[in-house]
Amino acid sequence: MIVYDGHCHVASTRFIPRQFLADVAGNVHARLSAHGAGPDPGRLTDGYAAQHDDHLADGLVAEMDRAGVARAVLMVPDFGLRMDCPLPMAEMARLHHEIRLRHPGRFWVYIGADPRRGPEGLAEFERSLDAYGFDGLKLYPPCGYSPSDRALYPYYEVCAARELPVFVHTGPTARSLDYDPAHPLRIDAAARDFPSVDFVLGHAGLTHVETAGYLAAHRPNVYLDIGGFASTPTLPRWPEHLNRLFRLGVNHKIIFGTDWPLNRLADGLRRSVAEVVEGPTVFAGVGRRDRELLLHENLLRVLAPASRPAAGAGAGAGSGG
């Protein structure tokens, strides 16, 4: 069974702001402190930062090989207007292109944007597509904007012209960011106004599932992502949750994703993927055809034709885009 991971990040402090890691550490500290004296938040943050040293994605590729994941999508969010980022987006784009060249045939890249950057932001987005052939747009509404903001419509026009998908974070995130813009219904106007653009709702198979599910069922261009399934603290029995999700009748609209490196908290990519593919619970009662849709075919359907692996090239090979 071919497995594509539709939601990953390079575990690198070059791309992930320290404030984001500090927010994660703060929530962990609060949970541990309820059971006694929790570790110092600063030490927790330092520990997370130390785990984000895979700057060239060599470690991720090794994890993918152990887990049997042929290819993965690398997300590059634009946090720059809300958090102090190590590098500008243009440099992050260049480095992600170099990572893809270092590991040919293993990665797609969805590059981030923030509509509040104005015309120059749009121009930079198009420059990155022209220069590097990236495969989609990554949006992070918790930074303070709606995914249906009219300022994003020029980006969607570009995506429509190039047949690129748009990946939109939904649900909770770092504690210092805004949660209201991350409700899945915020995408509805854009999904209606751009029917030829496929919108993938990040984490929507885990949070706001009922709302996201009816959007996926009734908006032909809305898909759900399950990234973070093995790491979210609100789903301690995630295999049962995924099995229920896969019985809702929208398996043609759900994309498998892990949200690596969150899986490091769940004993690595291999164990999480094996529990899905080989475990007794996740796919119980789910037919082989639906499994193929969930594990790789749905992702291929949202990608532009130029981004899909060439026929006969093998699961891990394909175009540079």
Side-chain angles (χ1 to χ4, degrees), residues 47-285:
Y48 287 131
Q51 294 177 4
H52 286 72
D53 62 351
D54 187 25
H55 306 303
L56 301 177
D58 294 346
L60 172 55
V61 170
E63 287 279 348
M64 290 165 60
D65 288 344
R66 286 191 288 270
V69 174
R71 293 184 62 145
V73 177
L74 296 179
M75 304 291 177
V76 194
D78 182 359
F79 291 113
L81 296 184
R82 284 295 293 268
M83 293 180 173
D84 184 17
C85 290
L87 297 171
M89 282 300 300
E91 182 65 3
M92 292 189 193
R94 185 187 70 80
L95 290 174
H96 275 79
H97 177 60
E98 290 190 358
I99 287 169
R100 194 169 55 179
L101 292 177
R102 181 180 178 87
H103 303 287
R106 302 308 298 272
F107 293 121
W108 295 282
V109 174
Y110 293 2
I111 194 69
D114 188 315
R116 297 165 298 180
R117 293 192 183 277
E120 177 54 32
L122 177 63
E124 180 58 40
F125 173 62
E126 292 195 83
R127 278 195 294 269
S128 72
L129 298 180
D130 292 336
Y132 307 129
F134 289 148
D135 307 281
L137 170 63
K138 163 69 173 179
L139 298 178
Y140 216 86
C143 285
Y145 58 86
S146 168
S148 289
D149 189 319
R150 291 286 174 151
L152 279 168
Y153 278 30
Y155 289 88
Y156 297 155
E157 290 168 2
V158 170
C159 290
R162 298 178 184 241
E163 301 181 88
L164 300 181
V166 177
F167 190 99
V168 184
H169 175 93
T170 65
T173 179
R175 62 179 182 174
S176 62
L177 297 180
D178 304 332
Y179 289 9
D180 182 67
H183 193 282
L185 271 179
R186 291 298 194 99
I187 198 61
D188 192 49
R192 180 196 62 219
D193 292 343
F194 290 88
S196 67
V197 175
D198 288 326
F199 293 90
V200 182
L201 305 184
H203 310 288
L206 309 180
T207 63
H208 302 294
V209 175
E210 182 177 355
T211 300
Y214 78 66
L215 282 173
H218 298 287
R219 292 284 187 207
N221 58 333
V222 171
Y223 290 73
L224 310 184
D225 157 74
I226 61 170
F229 62 85
S231 303
T232 175
T234 59
L235 288 179
R237 299 180 63 83
W238 60 264
E240 288 86 349
H241 171 83
L242 289 185
N243 184 253
R244 288 191 297 270
L245 177 69
F246 296 160
R247 292 171 175 271
L248 293 181
V250 290
N251 286 346
H252 62 299
K253 303 296 285 294
I254 300 172
I255 293 175
F256 176 78
T258 62
D259 200 13
W260 172 269
L262 282 183
N263 295 74
R264 286 183 172 176
L265 304 179
D267 298 324
L269 197 65
R270 187 203 61 78
R271 181 171 178 177
S272 299
V273 173
E275 179 66 26
V276 173
V277 178
E278 304 167 6
T281 303
V282 173
F283 282 150

